[in-house]
Amino acid sequence: MVFAAILGKIIGFGIIIAIGVMVFKTRGNHPEIFELSEGEEIVKLAKGDWWQDVLIGNGRNTGEFAFTNKRVLFRTFSIFGKGEQIGIPYSKIASIKKSFVKIWPVAFTIKTINDESYKFAILKRQMYIDLIESLAKQNNKNPAAEGENTAILN
C-alpha cells in the first residue's frame, strides 16, 4: 500500500516535469536547435506542425520552422532532446500549394522534385508561402545553387 502511494507520487511528479519541459520548449524561438550547414543563416523562425501520414489517419508533429537562406528546416519538439529535423533545400522544391488540416485552411504542402511531399500547418500560411517562393528564387539565381536538379517555382 505504501509502495503504491510512493510510486504514484513519483509518476505524478514525472508527468508534471514532462509537461513543464514541453511548455518551456514551446515558448519563444529556439534557433540553437537547428543544425545549419556552412554559410547557412536563419532568415525567419516560426512555430508550426508537420503532418505526416501514419497507418490510421494523420500524425501531428509539433515543432519549429527555420527558414534559412538555403532551405526550409523543421524540427519536432521532444522531451528527450532536439527531436527530428527535416531539411528541404529550395533547389529541390517543385511546388508549394495551400492545403487543409481536417477542415482548417492553415496548411501548405511542399512537393519536391524527388516526388516527396511534406504537409505543414502554420498560422499566416500565405506569408510563409511567399517567403519560401522568394528565398527559392534568390537561391536559384545563386551560381552556387545545386546545378542540374534545380527546380524553379512558378
Side-chain angles (χ1 to χ4, degrees):
M1 191 66 105
V2 173
F3 177 73
I6 292 171
L7 183 62
K9 288 182 180 183
I10 291 171
I11 291 171
F13 182 72
I15 290 171
I16 289 170
I17 293 297
I19 291 170
V21 168
M22 288 303 293
V23 166
F24 174 75
K25 284 190 171 190
T26 58
R27 294 188 63 189
N29 291 321
H30 304 91
E32 71 280 358
I33 66 172
F34 294 98
E35 297 169 10
L36 302 176
S37 62
E38 188 175 326
E40 188 170 21
E41 298 174 3
I42 295 175
V43 175
K44 186 146 183 79
L45 293 167
K47 302 268 191 262
D49 299 319
W50 166 41
W51 289 80
Q52 60 184 144
D53 293 330
V54 291
L55 292 176
I56 303 172
N58 292 316
R60 176 183 174 202
N61 300 284
T62 298
E64 190 167 339
F65 288 97
F67 300 94
T68 75
N69 58 328
K70 295 184 178 186
R71 58 192 172 148
V72 175
L73 296 174
F74 182 83
R75 182 167 296 277
T76 60
F77 289 132
S78 172
I79 295 173
F80 306 108
K82 290 184 177 180
E84 182 179 355
Q85 179 169 298
I86 298 168
I88 308 168
Y90 297 120
S91 61
K92 302 295 183 197
I93 296 175
S95 67
I96 302 173
K97 68 175 187 169
K98 292 179 181 180
S99 52
F100 288 79
V101 172
K102 300 183 183 190
I103 63 168
W104 308 107
V106 295
F108 62 90
T109 302
I110 296 176
K111 190 161 187 153
T112 68
I113 59 175
N114 300 330
D115 208 30
E116 296 170 330
S117 186
Y118 299 91
K119 182 187 252 185
F120 298 109
I122 191 168
L123 294 177
K124 301 179 183 178
R125 69 176 171 184
Q126 187 60 53
M127 180 177 79
Y128 294 101
I129 290 170
D130 293 343
L131 177 64
I132 292 168
E133 289 174 344
S134 170
L135 290 168
K137 286 177 184 171
Q138 288 176 14
N139 193 293
N140 288 334
K141 288 179 186 175
N142 182 353
E146 295 182 30
E148 60 188 57
N149 285 327
T150 299
I152 298 175
L153 295 172
N154 294 331

